[in-house]
Amino acid sequence: MITAGCDVGSLTSKAVVMRGDRILGSAIIRSRTKPEEAASQVLDEALKQAGLTRKDISKCVGTGYGRERIDFVNDTRSEIACHAKGAKWLVPTAKTVIDIGGQDCKAMRLDEDGSVGRFVTNDKCAAGTGRFLEVMANVLHVPIEELGKLSARAKAPVVLASTCTVWAQADVIEYLNAETSIEDIGGGINNAMAGRVASLANAVKVERDVCMTGGVAKNIGVIRALEKLIGQRIVIPRKADPQLAGAIGAALLAREMN
Amino acid sequence: MDPIFNEAAIKIQNSSLLEYKKKGGRVIGYVCSHVPEEVIAAADMLPFRLRGIEIKSTAIGDSYFGPFVCSCPKALLQNAGEGRFSFLDGAIMVQACDSMRRLDECWRKAGTDFPGSLPDFFHYFAVPHKVTDYSVQFFAEEIEKLAKAIEEHFKVSITGQKLDEAIEIYNTTRDLLVQLETLRHRDSPPLTGSETMAIVLAGTAMPKSDYNKLLEATIEDLKKQRAKTHAGKPRILLAGSVVDDLTLIDAIEAEGAVVVADTVCFGARAYSGHVEKGDSRWQTLARRYLNEQFCPRMFGYSNERYELILQKFKDSKADGIVFQNIRFCDLHGSENGLFNKRLDKAGIPNTRIEREYGELADEGRVRMRIGAFLETLGRGKSAA
């Protein structure tokens, strides 16, 4: 049985095509103004990689902010359910899942059977999310995938006093004007991000193993800083790109559909 | 269901209100459920609960209030500044909470900047935060002062007989709304949470004499209804900050749930208890309006509020509780946190969300959270 999961997020859209427990194809694209177009495009790219067509898909589940607008799915599920399912598949020993997406951040505690026991999400603002890192990477003129590596080379990471992304950006510009090294600023940005996520993670009472998903799971600087703050090692999924966790979960949930 | 309920729920200047004004009726607006409406009704005027609905921005509100203030009073001031409350003959301000207390000062100042936005009769009404012998006495005197202020300003007479008549009418409304709530407890509720809220909201925005008749007829119709439209859906109890429009409940119900009970202001909080009949009417009014209110503005009654939530949860056969608070609502924000922990320990499913007041700008975010919560109940949209 071939199933598909489509996760239309605020920044990126992800699709995964699976047969049983194996990923046949996947894709990540930048989200478009129309969620249905992004969903269609990303699924077609994943299918192309798998060498399949839409006719080959038995069931498809949609998730993410744009999920209600995807017309080709058989069902929709919340990001919480999909990320938990995907994380459990990526890291079977996971008890706590931290997912940092483009504009939201979630921490989930999983029950023994892998279902969500408790979850919290960012409420006040989107400062602790992927968008924060994207804005900062732009200011530093550093590719976002390089931002995480700066922490390791930082000698004295700066402190960003403001929680607000816009004001934190102003702080970064001040540091740049003062000729502070890019590494120290980058390290400070990753630490600030980790601080915001840690408070959320602690709200669900972190329990081993801790797994991180979402695009920010690719930022080693944030992960190392977060490990220090929560006092636990974070398992980074190796089985597949952690940014695909929601789409993987959706594809797995599609498999469970009658 | 009579269309006036929905109209009055979503439109401040609804046709019932305009009709009342056309006939020369006078209207006094108020901002908190601790204001004894009977006093206004006994002066042959319409008590009208003010809401911040219909606004498209809070530009006016933002310029008078600080940034870290609940958006509810800001929205009220916005409506005043934009002239949506131009029908008011008077308004009563209350130190319901700190943010609402500031509305008194901000509206007075805005009245000088937006000519015509401040009603001629503008009264500050003090409500104690505790229920003791001396606070009830103080409150009774405040109510009497309010009555005297209305009498003097509007040249009317609030007699004992008029008060008794008003108490009778308002107690009837409360009885009817309790009946409506009981209908929601059925295994198959005959109406959604949104429809119920529309009915309750309409009661704050139209003359009670008309309202009671329509409400009674609606309840009789609903009693006969046997359709299983909402049977089997996950049942939600809504608690927390003030809810005075339909969008939040609509968002919860769009995820497949049905809201079967609430403890929110404008909802169940407004119709609990009776005003006893007796000679000392200021005292009986004071007792009802202090004792029968379950707002966390009242100090020292957190346990009672928790017990009330548990009771409503049980009576309504709810599956889960959604706590929500408006951003910067310290009272509900902190109490929601305490209740959340206690309910977790008691094994009762519940979730907390923070939101802006009014029409939901962040509907997608709220729906995602509600959808995920329903899934944890094993009763998500696909399961419903």
Side-chain angles (χ1 to χ4, degrees):
Chain A
M1 180 184 187
I2 294 170
T3 60
C6 203
D7 176 8
V8 182
S10 59
L11 269 183
T12 56
S13 297
K14 287 80 63 178
V16 165
V17 180
M18 296 180 83
R19 177 187 281 131
D21 225 22
R22 205 159 71 88
I23 294 178
L24 303 176
S26 65
I28 300 173
I29 63 162
R30 193 87 185 164
S31 286
R32 294 158 62 167
T33 35
K34 291 186 176 170
E36 59 275 27
E37 287 178 8
S40 203
Q41 186 190 338
V42 76
L43 179 66
D44 287 342
E45 285 189 22
L47 283 167
K48 196 176 164 192
Q49 198 185 76
L52 299 168
T53 66
R54 291 207 189 181
K55 284 180 190 160
D56 298 311
I57 301 172
S58 303
K59 297 275 185 206
C60 180
V61 164
T63 188
Y65 272 76
R67 66 182 185 274
E68 300 293 346
R69 301 269 296 273
I70 315 174
D71 51 7
F72 55 79
V73 294
N74 301 96
D75 198 4
T76 58
R77 300 295 293 270
S78 77
E79 290 100 298
I80 301 285
C82 292
H83 276 275
K85 192 82 182 169
K88 191 79 182 166
W89 183 83
L90 287 162
V91 180
T93 53
K95 288 270 181 61
T96 308
V97 181
I98 299 167
D99 171 76
I100 311 177
Q103 72 175 24
D104 66 18
C105 177
K106 334 167 182 58
M108 295 158 257
R109 270 278 300 282
L110 304 185
D111 290 339
E112 286 303 318
D113 62 355
S115 60
V116 180
R118 188 175 162 77
F119 69 91
V120 287
T121 55
N122 58 316
D123 251 330
K124 293 218 163 30
C125 78
T129 67
R131 182 72 81 182
F132 174 81
L133 293 181
E134 195 179 65
V135 168
M136 297 306 160
N138 277 340
V139 179
L140 293 181
H141 296 289
V142 169
I144 185 134
E145 53 276 15
E146 296 297 316
L147 190 62
K149 295 172 194 161
L150 294 177
S151 287
R153 302 201 298 272
K155 289 194 177 86
V158 300
V159 174
L160 297 180
S162 179
T163 305
C164 166
T165 304
V166 178
W167 288 345
Q169 187 182 349
D171 280 356
V172 168
I173 292 168
E174 268 195 41
Y175 283 121
L176 283 172
N177 291 345
E179 296 186 352
T180 308
S181 76
I182 294 279
E183 288 78 8
D184 283 348
I185 300 174
I189 290 167
N190 294 332
N191 289 349
M193 175 82 177
R196 280 156 213 172
V197 178
S199 58
L200 202 68
N202 287 330
V204 292
K205 293 204 176 106
V206 176
E207 196 182 337
R208 285 175 63 190
D209 284 338
V210 184
C211 161
M212 197 156 153
T213 62
V216 181
K218 297 179 202 174
N219 179 314
I220 193 69
V222 173
I223 289 174
R224 293 289 171 253
L226 189 54
E227 283 177 334
K228 280 184 197 160
L229 291 170
I230 61 172
Q232 295 282 353
R233 196 172 73 84
I234 292 172
V235 184
I236 306 162
R238 304 271 175 224
K239 215 165 159 183
D241 187 330
Q243 202 171 352
L244 292 171
I248 293 170
L252 294 170
L253 288 167
R255 196 174 68 188
E256 291 172 10
M257 284 174 66
N258 293 326
Chain B
M1 205 166 95
D2 196 285
I4 188 61
F5 289 145
N6 206 48
E7 190 202 330
I10 60 171
K11 200 163 186 278
I12 290 173
Q13 297 200 14
N14 65 74
S15 50
S16 176
L17 171 77
L18 295 177
E19 186 67 20
Y20 178 84
K21 284 293 288 184
K22 212 168 132 187
K23 288 181 191 158
R26 289 186 287 196
V27 182
I28 293 187
Y30 63 99
V31 294
C32 173
S33 59
H34 285 274
V35 174
E37 298 165 289
E38 289 88 340
V39 174
I40 303 167
D44 290 324
M45 288 190 260
L46 173 66
F48 188 95
R49 180 97 186 251
L50 300 178
R51 292 185 283 153
I53 58 170
E54 294 186 64
I55 58 161
K56 300 291 175 226
S57 98
T58 51
I60 297 172
D62 288 338
S63 57
Y64 291 89
F65 287 90
F68 304 112
V69 173
C70 159
S71 41
C72 177
K74 288 182 182 179
L76 289 169
L77 189 58
Q78 187 73 23
N79 267 338
E82 288 182 7
R84 222 166 263 122
F85 293 150
S86 58
F87 59 89
L88 289 179
D89 298 284
I92 299 167
M93 298 295 105
V94 179
Q95 92 300 13
C97 58
D98 231 22
S99 297
M100 200 55 92
R101 183 196 59 75
R102 290 190 182 106
L103 181 62
D104 178 73
E105 298 141 14
C106 293
W107 196 340
R108 284 177 201 273
K109 175 68 180 74
T112 61
D113 302 332
F114 295 87
S117 66
L118 190 74
D120 290 341
F121 177 78
F122 202 76
H123 184 88
Y124 184 84
F125 182 65
V127 182
H129 290 279
K130 285 183 174 180
V131 187
T132 61
D133 290 349
Y134 54 85
S135 68
V136 171
Q137 180 57 36
F138 169 86
F139 193 41
E141 287 166 16
E142 270 299 298
I143 296 171
E144 192 176 356
K145 266 200 280 184
L146 169 68
K148 289 217 164 16
I150 292 173
E151 283 181 325
E152 277 169 26
H153 183 91
F154 293 100
K155 312 282 180 246
V156 292
S157 176
I158 298 174
T159 63
Q161 192 197 336
K162 288 264 185 197
L163 271 171
D164 284 345
E165 284 167 14
I167 288 169
E168 185 78 33
I169 291 172
Y170 282 74
N171 278 342
T172 302
T173 306
R174 291 181 189 112
D175 287 342
L176 290 168
L177 289 172
V178 168
Q179 280 187 47
L180 186 73
E181 180 175 307
T182 312
L183 287 171
R184 300 169 82 186
H185 298 170
R186 283 183 178 174
D187 290 339
S188 177
L191 72 178
T192 64
S194 181
E195 287 165 341
T196 312
M197 187 50 100
I199 294 174
V200 177
L201 289 174
T204 68
M206 59 187 285
K208 283 283 193 292
S209 46
D210 299 342
Y211 178 74
N212 282 358
K213 280 182 214 147
L214 290 171
L215 181 55
E216 205 172 344
T218 303
I219 289 169
E220 287 312 311
D221 282 348
L222 290 169
K223 277 180 182 167
K224 290 176 210 148
Q225 196 177 305
R226 288 287 173 265
K228 304 273 182 201
T229 323
H230 309 299
K233 289 182 177 177
R235 300 164 72 90
I236 294 297
L237 164 67
L238 181 66
S241 290
V242 57
V243 175
D244 65 3
D245 78 352
L246 307 177
T247 52
L248 176 68
I249 298 177
D250 281 342
I252 295 172
E253 297 192 327
E255 285 302 307
V258 58
V259 176
V260 287
D262 70 74
T263 59
V264 298
C265 201
F266 273 93
R269 202 182 287 168
Y271 55 77
S272 59
H274 262 201
V275 178
E276 298 157 34
K277 283 178 190 161
D279 288 341
S280 177
R281 296 175 188 91
W282 308 131
Q283 291 278 342
T284 56
L285 283 165
R287 274 197 292 276
R288 188 270 159 189
Y289 278 89
L290 266 194
N291 274 323
E292 293 293 338
Q293 302 292 324
F294 296 98
C295 179
R297 76 173 294 282
M298 299 298 287
F299 294 155
Y301 304 96
S302 191
N303 282 333
E304 284 82 348
R305 288 190 284 273
Y306 180 75
E307 292 301 327
L308 174 77
I309 288 172
L310 285 185
Q311 191 59 48
K312 291 243 178 205
F313 181 78
K314 203 174 134 198
D315 291 345
S316 64
K317 292 169 273 182
D319 298 303
I321 303 171
V322 173
F323 287 103
Q324 47 76 38
N325 68 277
I326 299 168
R327 282 197 181 99
F328 309 117
C329 176
D330 297 337
L331 293 171
H332 280 290
S334 46
E335 193 157 88
N336 284 355
L338 294 172
F339 290 170
N340 168 246
K341 282 201 170 71
R342 287 179 74 175
L343 289 164
D344 276 353
K345 273 190 189 161
I348 295 177
N350 70 100
T351 192
R352 287 170 64 193
I353 52 172
E354 198 174 66
R355 63 181 181 97
E356 281 296 349
Y357 166 85
E359 286 181 39
L360 285 174
D362 47 3
E363 189 190 335
R365 188 181 61 83
V366 169
R367 280 190 58 178
M368 187 275 276
R369 267 148 239 239
I370 297 296
F373 176 59
L374 298 181
E375 281 168 349
T376 64
L377 297 176
R379 307 288 304 277
K381 192 160 75 173
S382 35

